[in-house]
Amino acid sequence: MNGKWLRILLLGLFNGLLLGSITKWFELLSGLKVYQLLLNVDFIPVVGEFHWNEAWLFTFHLITSLFITMSYAYMIRRRRIVRRLPFALLFIVPAVLLYFPLSFLSKIGGLLPFDLSAFSLWALSHFIYALFLPLSIQK
């Protein structure tokens, strides 16, 4: 594996760890279940029927982070995008907006789809994630 893809993979793992840590911290401080929502798979057919421990759920989250980081890096390179940070912030907007369907479909109790406080913590943690996406691309 060449150096640029190794860097992208490592940053994808770092970003996933960062996002997980931030949402866990937000959940501990606020009591709002944003970390549980991040790891939630209970609404996915077949997958949601199994009881996964936190380590497996976090592994799924890390795989998702790898996919997002690799997709971002691919699009930056393919489209030759120069303004990487603004693109990263736009790129992460769909993940931010996933809060609404995820919280609606989730079987996690106590998390309301239109809870502005929980959504704010979710959005802030994902925008912090986006700040690190441009690091995956060497200049």
Side-chain angles (χ1 to χ4, degrees), residues 52-107:
W52 301 96
N53 65 27
E54 185 177 356
W56 275 110
L57 294 171
F58 201 77
T59 300
F60 298 154
H61 161 70
L62 290 177
I63 291 168
T64 303
S65 178
L66 288 171
F67 175 76
I68 290 170
T69 304
M70 290 174 61
S71 298
Y72 170 82
Y74 175 78
M75 290 182 72
I76 286 288
R77 283 180 173 24
R78 180 89 170 145
R79 305 246 186 242
R80 294 183 174 91
I81 295 172
V82 178
R83 300 188 56 157
R84 295 173 179 168
L85 181 56
F87 182 70
L89 294 170
L90 285 174
F91 191 77
I92 209 67
V93 166
V96 172
L97 295 177
L98 272 175
Y99 170 84
F100 298 106
L102 290 176
S103 61
F104 180 76
L105 294 170
S106 172
K107 297 173 185 166

Side-chain angles (χ1 to χ4, degrees), residues 33-51:
K33 298 180 181 182
V34 290
Y35 176 72
Q36 288 183 32
L37 184 64
L38 184 72
L39 302 187
N40 188 32
V41 296
D42 65 9
F43 58 90
I44 300 173
V46 181
V47 174
E49 295 173 19
F50 294 94
H51 177 71

